[in-house]
Amino acid sequence: EIHQREYLSNGEMKQWEGAVHTVYSPVAVQTPDGYKRKVIGTYPVCTEKEAIESLDAAVAAYNHGRGQWPTMSVQDRIRCVEQFTHKMKEQKDIVVKLIMWEIGKSVADSVKEFDRTVEYIYATIDALKDLDRDSSRFEIEQGIVAQIRRSPLGVVLCMGPFNYPLNETFTTLIPALIMGNTLLFKPPKHGTLLHYPLLEAFKECFPKGVVNTIYGRGHAIVPALMQTGQINVLTLIGSSKVADELKKLHPKVNRLRAILGLDAKNAAIVTENADVSLAVSETVLGALSFNGQRCTALKIIFVHRSKVDQFLGQLSEAVSKLKIGMPWEKGVALTPLPEPQKPAYLKDLIDDAEAYGAAVINRGGGASFESFVYPAILYPVNQKMKVYREEQFGPVIPVVPFDDLEEPIQYLIESTHGQQVSIFSNDATETASLIDPLVNQVSRVNINCQCQRGPDTFPFTGRKDSAEGTLSVVDALRSFSIRSLVATKLNENNKQ
Ligand code: G3H
């Protein structure tokens, strides 16, 4: 068990004496009374007071840290991030174990998450070296020379999601940091302890006040931070509703920059010309990897009526072969869910779909303990059902039959989400005719493959309620900076 009692504020490890949050792993252990969720540790529940103190530290480090971070040379900032990454790699084993225990991710996927994060940091450093950062001086009018620079934005409030608590958090935290901003970092509720082994490295590698951490209940502390008006950038990978609520609290919301990765309801379209086996294998991966808890997961599948029987038969067979088990079990595909309220929510979605006439295929047997949810395929799904529009973020696959391709296109036009879509078709003319209408509704079209974020160096965004700003490597560096200008009037003392 890990009992964290420190938080990092103004360059110091502050000792926490107040209330703590007890972390129950979604991975249950067998006891004489049956399966019980295991306690794996505790962490501080900071109050507004600590949050505001840490914000003050970040503001001071931004405004007064002469030569310290925002005004440090890029090379020096890169060196600090490299040093941090080196120390982070030394903590790999413990961080991977904590990802597994805290959010129930399989060992293989936890290792992948860690490695992918390290690769992202190095890719960010490389991209920064090539970024259109500071131009050479050029004459803008007679007697005046100018230099265009890329400068930081100020104080960034950085919050990540539970499903990729390390990787997605760092895809905003690292570019924000390396561009010279100072940070207030709040890890997700399910996914806080796994950051603890990195806390010392943050303290050692960055000047005081540059990285400040806060923990606890977001709804109790984050509103107060927003209301100060001192947050220059809100970066959140999470729910659209929370992002909207937080933004509204900022006294000058129009001046706030928001870099957001939000809700999504990615659709697959299996046309009458699809290779059904391929569509099925990609749907299994797309809808059920990490139990469907990915913003990029396939969350609704439109299948041409002529292919429905074949598609459902193969999908049902493939899903029934998936292994459900503990994260460390070999070949495990589905693991326990970290959000305690999720199984009841998914059951409600399934009941609702059944009430409106959907059959539940592959309901599976009763779960051996509370955090397991067997994948359900729902068919035929229609617009009366909640699962038609709501983002299930879990192992439920709604299948909608269609006769005309205009039907799924219309779904995407009407959707409040706009992240990605997958098209399955072996007819090149058909796919070509779909790309333009679809790429104007979502930010990535995948042909004959599932939706996904990677490679992480690619632009990652969404339309409508699915995102604000663009991530990737270069895009993120741009998102967390501003192009500024230094203009110099030349005189006798200043000719160059
Ligand atoms: O939850 C959103 C993640 O960025 C998805 O990443 O598509 O690589 O699983 P992924």
Side-chain angles (χ1 to χ4, degrees), residues 412-426:
L412 290 161
I413 292 171
E414 285 168 12
S415 175
T416 53
H417 304 102
Q419 196 198 60
Q420 298 192 22
V421 66
S422 288
I423 307 167
F424 292 95
S425 170
N426 272 350

Side-chain angles (χ1 to χ4, degrees), residues 124-313:
T124 302
I125 291 171
D126 279 347
L128 182 59
K129 289 176 184 154
D130 298 335
L131 188 73
D132 51 340
R133 245 175 25 237
D134 297 347
S135 73
S136 40
R137 297 211 308 176
F138 57 93
E139 190 164 22
I140 46 176
E141 61 185 71
Q142 207 180 359
I144 299 185
V145 293
Q147 184 194 31
I148 296 173
R149 293 191 180 187
R150 200 166 268 285
S151 308
L153 294 164
V155 175
V156 179
L157 174 59
C158 175
M159 292 181 287
F162 83 82
N163 61 334
Y164 281 91
L166 186 72
N167 182 57
E168 290 240 293
T169 306
F170 274 46
T171 60
T172 57
L173 184 148
I174 293 293
L177 201 51
I178 211 163
M179 290 315 295
N181 301 284
T182 61
L183 291 184
L184 207 53
F185 163 41
K186 187 195 162 298
K189 178 177 171 194
H190 307 292
T192 288
L193 278 184
L194 62 96
H195 289 278
Y196 184 44
L198 307 179
L199 198 58
E200 196 61 42
F202 276 126
K203 177 176 178 284
E204 283 175 22
C205 302
F206 300 103
K208 86 172 192 173
V210 171
V211 179
N212 305 277
T213 61
I214 45 165
Y215 311 102
R217 313 205 191 299
H219 59 269
I221 46 180
V222 178
L225 293 170
M226 295 304 293
Q227 280 159 350
T228 63
Q230 301 266 43
I231 303 289
N232 302 102
V233 187
L234 169 68
T235 179
L236 166 80
I237 313 284
S239 113
S240 314
K241 185 168 169 272
V242 170
D244 286 347
E245 285 167 4
L246 290 180
K247 277 171 69 177
K248 278 190 212 135
L249 293 172
H250 196 287
K252 291 191 176 167
V253 62
N254 297 338
R255 313 264 189 286
L256 175 74
R257 184 174 290 195
I259 317 291
L260 310 170
L262 304 171
D263 303 349
K265 182 85 177 172
N266 293 343
I269 305 172
V270 181
T271 80
E272 59 187 322
N273 300 304
D275 171 343
V276 172
S277 309
L278 175 69
V280 165
S281 58
E282 291 292 310
T283 298
V284 171
L285 284 175
L288 297 178
S289 298
F290 191 38
N291 314 304
Q293 302 168 121
R294 296 158 60 232
C295 60
T296 48
L298 285 174
K299 291 174 186 140
I300 188 158
I301 319 292
F302 289 86
V303 183
H304 190 271
R305 210 174 288 276
S306 65
K307 297 284 190 189
V308 162
D309 289 349
Q310 203 187 345
F311 181 83
L312 285 177

Side-chain angles (χ1 to χ4, degrees), residues 37 189-190 338-346:
R37 283 175 157 233
K189 178 177 171 194
H190 307 292
E339 294 177 293
Q341 69 283 13
K342 187 49 79 67
Y345 170 69
L346 295 175

